[in-house]
Amino acid sequence: MSLNIYRGTEVWITINIDDNARYISQLLGENIIKLSFNSHIYLDISIGDFIVYDGVIYYVNSLPNIKKNSVNSFDYNITFESESYELLKTQFLDSDGNSDFYLVGNLETFIDLIITNMDREHTDWAKGTCDQTNSDYKLLSFSKNNCMQVLQKLCEEFEGEFYFEFALDFTAGAELPYLPAADSVIGYKPAASAEHGYHPAEFTINSYTKDICFTDKAGSDSGLTFKYKQGLRSVKRTTLSEKNIITRLYAFGSMQNLASDYRDHSRRLKFVSDGKSYLEKNTDKYGTIEHTEIFNDIYPHREGTISAVDGEDITKFTDSGMDFNLNDYLLSGVTAKLHFNSGNLGGYEFEVSAYNNATKEFTIIAYKDEIGYEMPNATLKPAVGDKYVLLEIYLPQSYIDTAETALQAKAQAYLDDNCEPRVTYILEPDWRYFKTHLINLEAGDFVTIEDTNLGINVMTRIVELTKSVANKYKYTLKLTDHLEVQLIQRLYDEQFDLKEKIEIGEGGDIIRSRRNWRTSEELRTMVFDTDGYFDMDNIRPLSVQTGMLSVGSKSTQFILKEIEIEGNYQSDVSKFHASAGSLVHLSIADTIRTWTLSENTQESLVNGTVYYIYAKCTKEPGYTGQIVVDETQRKFDDDETYYYFLIGVLHSVVDGIRGISLTYGQTIVNGGFIQANSITADKYNELRNTYVFSGNDSLDADCPFELPFEIVSEMTSIENVKLSFKISKFRAYSKAATEKEAVSSENGGGPTSGSGGGPTSGSGGGQTSSPSNLGSSGWEAVHPDGNDFIKKYAAGIYGIAKATLVSNLHTHTHTVANHTHSVPSHTHSVPVHNHTIPAHDHALTFGIYEEDRSPTINVYISNDGINYGDSIGEYDAEDDTLDISISGISGSGWKSIKFTSNALARISAIVMCKIDLTA
């Protein structure tokens, strides 16, 4: 098969292609064609050259990779990118040409602005079908984003997926003849009209549409089922991620719009189902694995719609559908807020000064921003049809019930998505089967995979497909149910965010220590009295003499809510950014006062300059403000129009990074306690609460060694659990010995004597010669009658001599001449018998005694201290000291680690749990 490569309107090169020409398509990601081939001459292929495949134009956006093997052998690897990559080349700007801005709208508002930006340098882009479920209005911020980044961000914000629809009608140029090269994968011939004597037809686009579409899930159900040897040549299952399985989920919503006595004073929205405030799934398969998830976008609320506006007062409007009396649901000491979701005031928030329940009329408080711009005004004002929500109130029970139901539904969806291992399947289909059945698949399509051996019977999605450009039925498919937006890596990548790299050596982190010392010194020199009074009587150069030390002034007693402060904004140390949020002051007035803070970005900061961070807040009702940076020391109430509440210090640049030190709030040191909003350590990772559990014991094949440990209930998160253990020789500290080392004959008979006898005694005494081979364990007296007795050997007899003493007591002498007794060979039969051993003690010999049995050790983990899973590994003594990071430990309570062995051994083990605690 041949493929034309175009330059401008002409066919530039025609090449012959094979299966090394591959089309690669990712859902929400790449859409490219890769060519790999060998050429016998050098080819001039440049950025801007393009091909056409399946009605889409693909461009060369980066120079090809070329390897020269010889003067007539060149290896080429070329990537062609689809028209969708034009979005990467186009910045997302607002109508005034700003790259840093925020915008309120529904999904189509943002798609329309993408199209507007695309039309700046490109053609034929349009908004296609947008039928996603989520039609909410959202306030989104943007900064230095390209249009592809924005499109991918919309997937997360509106819980949907984008796709492109291309339709190209064109007239192709004439193919050029190519010259097949010997020993080459692909032959080619570059364009040369003079050589061939003709001019090829020009490439002409008759029409081209490029639509951006958005839906809940791209792709379609193919209805296809694949099995091994029935559409599949192979199937491979691999782990998609290391994310833990969840079988028990605790879910919470926002803290917004809840009364102080809500569900036993719960700070966040929660649900109760069957008497439980959690959901479970697959505990029978994987045990109990707990997790907590917070859904800040779910809270009790009512989205109202303006039905009428006051023609004379733009701060007044009516909502005829308002179904409760706002005055009955105000929080003590807090002013109700009204947040516009749509319309000209979309994204803005105002305090409510009055509500008339009889007429359903709201009155909001106008305010001026930091540059004196007042809202609402003749241009930006409420209008009929505008959507809004009420904040900083509590709501009737029906709205709370609705919010709890929504929270439970979202929690169930989250649990369903995380209660099974995350796996991916790689399929190699049978291309002949695909060709026979004319199968055509796209990224996003659903197919069913069945395999008895692997235990697979599942419908899942194609998230990436690769197919041969030369054979459209030859696919490789990647499938999974867990989709994440893909990062498209290419020439137009944005700058990475600044990140701190911490490497601890013998001397500690020298660079970080230097930076911390520098910022600490700057903070010390920047501290000043914000309230204007200082008592020097009890302050000395080396000490502060006081019964109680209270650190923090009246003006700094405030709380920042939902605020993010960035000192290296967009990886640029010359930029500062503070998000929108609110400041709640506890001591500036008799009642708690709240300011609504808008987003602020400041640029052109000087590297060597240290800045104060202030909350610049209006003194007059309306109570709005911003977080700003300023070189000037300001007392909080010196200005006639604004309070300047000191938040902290933005440090000068050290090693390419600006540090931030926050100084607001109060710390009290009194006797045995310290009370503070937070305590910060330079090396928090090293100072986390570390619980150490250790133990050692012997074990064998019948008796395992178990090491229990407890995670305390005050734990808020587990950073890591590490097991270290060492396998040693079995050790004992005493052994036993027999009492006399007595030896008994074997059951059934002893040895007999040989032939011949011992010599006899001379005359005069009736003495007998000592028999040869006598044992030495003792004699036994036997009395067969009253006059005679016999002495005989009792045990261990190899030869026996016997003398008889007559009872007549007269003196005489027997003379026995020297003679020899011949004893023929013979056998003594000993009948079967038992030896009775009386009760006795064995003495213990104390000491250290070791045995080396070369054991094999298996390790098991229990998350509840009782039930163990499969072995996490097999180890032997050659592994020496072992350090293992333990997974599967979650929640508080008793846990345990069990060691088993196939032989006598000894284990010394240490478990280190790094956890965060709450008071």
Side-chain angles (χ1 to χ4, degrees):
M1 178 179 176
S2 62
L3 180 69
N4 289 333
I5 299 177
Y6 295 90
R7 178 171 295 178
T9 60
E10 295 184 353
V11 175
W12 183 246
I13 297 171
T14 299
I15 62 173
N16 212 19
I17 59 173
D18 58 13
D19 289 340
N20 287 315
R22 294 167 295 141
Y23 165 74
I24 302 171
S25 175
Q26 291 180 336
L27 184 58
L28 308 184
E30 289 186 333
N31 191 315
I32 59 177
I33 291 176
K34 289 190 173 183
L35 303 183
S36 298
F37 61 89
N38 177 269
S39 170
H40 66 272
I41 65 170
Y42 174 77
L43 299 178
D44 175 19
I45 299 176
S46 300
I47 293 174
D49 293 347
F50 64 93
I51 61 176
V52 178
Y53 175 74
D54 200 20
V56 181
I57 298 177
Y58 291 80
Y59 287 93
V60 176
N61 288 320
S62 57
L63 289 174
N65 293 323
I66 305 172
K67 178 184 177 183
K68 181 177 180 179
N69 303 308
S70 65
V71 293
N72 58 0
S73 178
F74 298 84
D75 292 332
Y76 282 83
N77 288 284
I78 312 172
T79 298
F80 294 85
E81 298 173 340
S82 78
E83 293 269 23
S84 62
Y85 281 69
E86 290 182 348
L87 280 82
L88 281 157
K89 304 176 185 179
T90 306
Q91 285 292 293
F92 188 68
L93 309 177
D94 68 6
S95 57
D96 296 321
N98 298 310
S99 64
D100 296 291
F101 64 98
Y102 60 89
L103 179 64
V104 175
N106 58 15
L107 174 84
E108 295 193 41
T109 305
F110 300 103
I111 297 291
D112 287 338
L113 187 54
I114 289 176
I115 300 303
T116 299
N117 281 281
M118 294 303 298
D119 289 343
R120 190 167 54 247
E121 294 295 335
H122 305 283
T123 58
D124 303 316
W125 284 96
K127 179 176 67 178
T129 302
C130 295
D131 58 4
Q132 79 294 338
T133 302
N134 191 327
S135 59
D136 293 345
Y137 282 78
K138 294 179 179 288
L139 171 63
L140 303 181
S141 62
F142 304 96
S143 179
K144 258 182 70 177
N145 299 123
N146 61 53
C147 289
M148 178 61 80
Q149 290 173 324
V150 172
L151 198 54
Q152 292 181 325
K153 180 177 182 177
L154 297 180
C155 293
E156 300 175 2
E157 295 292 341
F158 291 94
E159 301 169 306
E161 298 172 357
F162 65 85
Y163 62 98
F164 302 103
E165 288 187 343
F166 297 105
L168 174 63
D169 179 17
F170 71 103
T171 301
E175 293 185 358
L176 297 177
Y178 65 88
L179 213 51
D183 302 322
S184 295
V185 174
I186 291 177
Y188 65 89
K189 184 67 178 177
S193 57
E195 181 179 350
H196 299 290
Y198 72 94
H199 293 280
E202 291 187 346
F203 173 83
T204 304
I205 295 178
N206 302 318
S207 65
Y208 198 8
T209 58
K210 298 176 279 188
D211 290 350
I212 301 175
C213 305
F214 208 93
T215 189
D216 290 338
K217 283 188 179 294
S220 60
D221 182 1
S222 68
L224 298 171
T225 298
F226 297 131
K227 301 178 183 179
Y228 180 64
K229 291 189 177 181
Q230 185 176 321
L232 287 185
R233 295 177 59 193
S234 68
V235 55
K236 177 182 179 183
R237 182 179 64 197
T238 57
T239 301
L240 177 66
S241 74
E242 298 179 355
K243 185 173 182 180
N244 287 340
I245 300 170
I246 299 168
T247 61
R248 177 182 289 173
L249 177 65
Y250 297 90
F252 300 92
S254 171
M255 294 186 288
Q256 185 68 265
N257 289 358
L258 298 175
S260 60
D261 59 352
Y262 168 73
R263 286 202 179 277
D264 297 325
H265 308 284
S266 172
R267 297 176 64 236
R268 290 186 175 274
L269 183 74
K270 61 191 298 187
F271 64 84
V272 176
S273 176
D274 297 328
K276 301 178 294 185
S277 58
Y278 57 83
L279 299 174
E280 287 186 327
K281 189 172 182 179
N282 286 349
T283 54
D284 56 331
K285 294 169 64 176
Y286 307 115
T288 301
I289 305 173
E290 297 183 330
H291 177 73
T292 297
E293 192 69 21
I294 294 175
F295 301 97
N296 272 318
D297 58 334
I298 301 180
Y299 60 95
H301 69 280
R302 172 187 177 272
E303 185 175 61
T305 304
I306 296 178
S307 57
V309 295
D310 190 309
E312 298 181 357
D313 189 346
I314 59 177
T315 65
K316 295 182 178 182
F317 60 85
T318 300
D319 178 3
S320 60
M322 182 68 173
D323 57 355
F324 64 91
N325 186 352
L326 174 61
N327 301 312
D328 294 337
Y329 292 91
L330 299 176
L331 297 173
S332 178
V334 179
T335 302
K337 307 289 193 310
L338 189 145
H339 180 94
F340 283 92
N341 285 344
S342 66
N344 290 329
L345 291 175
Y348 287 100
E349 194 171 292
F350 300 86
E351 290 187 336
V352 178
S353 64
Y355 173 72
N356 187 325
N357 189 53
T359 62
K360 311 298 185 184
E361 184 182 70
F362 292 87
T363 302
I364 60 176
I365 300 174
Y367 75 92
K368 292 182 180 180
D369 64 15
E370 66 279 358
I371 62 174
Y373 189 74
E374 184 173 308
M375 288 184 294
N377 55 44
T379 302
L380 302 178
K381 61 183 178 180
V384 173
D386 287 355
K387 305 288 187 181
Y388 71 91
V389 293
L390 292 166
L391 305 174
E392 303 294 340
I393 63 170
Y394 66 101
L395 282 89
Q397 187 61 40
S398 60
Y399 289 100
I400 296 174
D401 294 342
T402 299
E404 290 182 350
T405 300
L407 174 63
Q408 184 172 346
K410 195 159 188 177
Q412 187 65 57
Y414 184 91
L415 181 61
D416 291 344
D417 198 41
N418 291 280
C419 66
E420 293 282 359
R422 292 195 165 190
V423 297
T424 185
Y425 302 97
I426 306 296
L427 307 184
E428 294 288 345
D430 182 348
W431 71 267
R432 295 174 181 83
Y433 180 93
F434 271 45
K435 184 175 182 179
T436 300
H437 295 85
L438 301 177
I439 294 174
N440 179 50
L441 296 172
E442 298 290 343
D445 288 349
F446 288 83
V447 299
T448 298
I449 311 170
E450 291 185 11
D451 189 276
T452 303
N453 298 123
L454 296 180
I456 301 171
N457 187 349
V458 61
M459 176 182 283
T460 184
R461 294 183 80 190
I462 301 171
V463 295
E464 181 179 326
L465 65 80
T466 302
K467 66 179 177 179
S468 168
V469 177
N471 182 350
K472 66 179 182 178
Y473 297 109
K474 188 171 287 188
Y475 286 83
T476 298
L477 303 176
K478 179 179 179 181
L479 305 96
T480 184
D481 286 330
H482 302 279
L483 176 65
E484 296 180 358
V485 175
Q486 305 295 315
L487 292 178
I488 302 178
Q489 302 296 335
R490 60 169 337 281
L491 184 64
Y492 306 100
D493 278 349
E494 297 296 325
Q495 182 182 13
F496 290 106
D497 289 337
L498 285 174
K499 295 181 179 178
E500 292 186 64
K501 181 179 180 182
I502 304 174
E503 296 180 352
I504 306 299
E506 292 182 359
D509 187 352
I510 297 173
I511 296 176
R512 185 183 179 92
S513 298
R514 172 177 171 266
R515 183 165 64 246
N516 288 341
W517 169 83
R518 172 77 172 274
T519 56
S520 297
E521 285 297 293
E522 287 181 348
L523 179 60
R524 181 181 62 80
T525 60
M526 297 290 282
V527 171
F528 68 99
D529 180 16
T530 59
D531 284 15
Y533 57 88
F534 225 61
D535 186 356
M536 300 295 294
D537 289 346
N538 289 317
I539 298 179
R540 300 288 184 268
L542 299 179
S543 68
V544 178
Q545 300 174 5
T546 179
M548 182 184 82
L549 175 62
S550 177
V551 182
S553 58
K554 176 182 177 181
S555 67
T556 61
Q557 305 314 303
F558 56 82
I559 298 169
L560 295 175
K561 296 177 65 176
E562 299 180 357
I563 292 289
E564 292 183 359
I565 298 175
E566 299 175 71
N568 303 281
Y569 185 49
Q570 298 175 340
S571 305
D572 188 345
V573 295
S574 69
K575 292 184 180 181
F576 168 85
H577 177 262
S579 69
S582 59
L583 181 151
V584 181
H585 211 293
L586 309 177
S587 60
I588 199 66
D590 293 335
T591 60
I592 296 173
R593 183 171 295 172
T594 302
W595 279 264
T596 299
L597 305 181
S598 60
E599 186 182 42
N600 180 43
T601 301
Q602 289 179 239
E603 302 183 0
S604 302
L605 303 183
V606 179
N607 286 6
T609 301
V610 188
Y611 297 88
Y612 293 103
I613 306 172
Y614 295 101
K616 181 182 177 183
C617 300
T618 58
K619 290 186 174 181
E620 296 299 322
Y623 302 129
T624 61
Q626 282 187 328
I627 294 178
V628 300
V629 292
D630 194 335
E631 297 179 54
T632 305
Q633 290 186 359
R634 299 179 184 274
K635 294 181 180 178
F636 81 100
D637 60 348
D638 273 0
D639 191 275
E640 293 182 358
T641 307
Y642 298 99
Y643 290 118
Y644 282 83
F645 300 125
L646 180 64
I647 294 174
V649 172
L650 178 65
H651 293 283
S652 61
V653 178
V654 180
D655 300 322
I657 297 174
R658 280 191 187 273
I660 293 178
S661 297
L662 303 180
T663 60
Y664 71 96
Q666 185 178 51
T667 300
I668 297 175
V669 181
N670 185 8
F673 73 90
I674 299 176
Q675 177 180 319
N677 290 336
S678 64
I679 300 175
T680 302
D682 285 348
K683 298 180 180 179
Y684 176 70
N685 288 333
E686 297 178 24
L687 298 177
R688 258 193 177 96
N689 294 281
T690 301
Y691 284 69
V692 179
F693 306 87
S694 64
N696 62 83
D697 205 347
S698 299
L699 68 164
D700 62 11
D702 297 319
C703 298
F705 165 42
E706 295 185 73
L707 177 58
F709 60 96
E710 184 184 18
I711 303 295
V712 296
S713 59
E714 293 82 3
M715 177 273 300
T716 58
S717 66
I718 299 175
E719 178 68 13
N720 62 63
V721 178
K722 182 179 179 182
L723 168 66
S724 300
F725 70 94
K726 184 177 179 66
I727 304 171
S728 305
K729 297 177 182 178
F730 170 76
R731 174 176 288 188
Y733 297 94
S734 66
K735 66 179 181 179
T738 57
E739 187 176 5
K740 289 186 178 181
E741 299 184 356
V743 179
S744 65
S745 65
E746 295 181 1
N747 185 14
T752 62
S753 65
S755 64
T760 63
S761 64
S763 63
Q767 297 177 343
T768 64
S769 63
S770 298
S772 62
N773 299 326
L774 290 178
S776 60
S777 62
W779 291 87
E780 180 181 23
V782 181
H783 298 274
D785 54 43
N787 296 319
D788 297 333
F789 69 91
I790 300 174
K791 272 187 173 182
K792 73 177 183 179
Y793 197 68
I797 303 172
Y798 292 92
I800 301 176
K802 181 171 69 174
T804 300
L805 301 181
V806 183
S807 61
N808 296 330
L809 302 177
H810 62 272
T811 300
H812 64 277
T813 300
H814 292 275
T815 301
V816 180
N818 290 336
H819 61 282
T820 300
H821 293 275
S822 297
V823 182
S825 298
H826 60 281
T827 300
H828 295 275
S829 297
V830 181
V832 176
H833 61 283
N834 295 320
H835 293 279
T836 300
I837 301 174
H840 61 286
D841 295 325
H842 290 276
L844 293 176
T845 303
F846 294 97
I848 298 176
Y849 305 93
E850 291 185 335
E851 287 189 14
D852 188 356
R853 297 291 186 92
S854 301
T856 298
I857 304 296
N858 277 276
V859 181
Y860 303 82
I861 306 299
S862 171
N863 194 47
D864 59 8
I866 301 172
N867 301 298
Y868 291 91
D870 296 333
S871 171
I872 65 170
E874 190 174 275
Y875 310 93
D876 56 42
E878 294 182 358
D879 292 320
D880 198 30
T881 302
L882 294 138
D883 295 313
I884 304 170
S885 292
I886 300 297
S887 60
I889 297 295
S890 64
S892 59
W894 282 98
K895 323 292 179 183
S896 186
I897 296 177
K898 180 171 70 176
F899 301 85
T900 64
S901 176
N902 63 346
L904 280 169
R906 187 175 183 83
I907 295 291
S908 299
I910 298 175
V911 177
M912 290 185 291
C913 304
K914 288 189 176 182
I915 64 176
D916 292 337
L917 300 176
T918 185

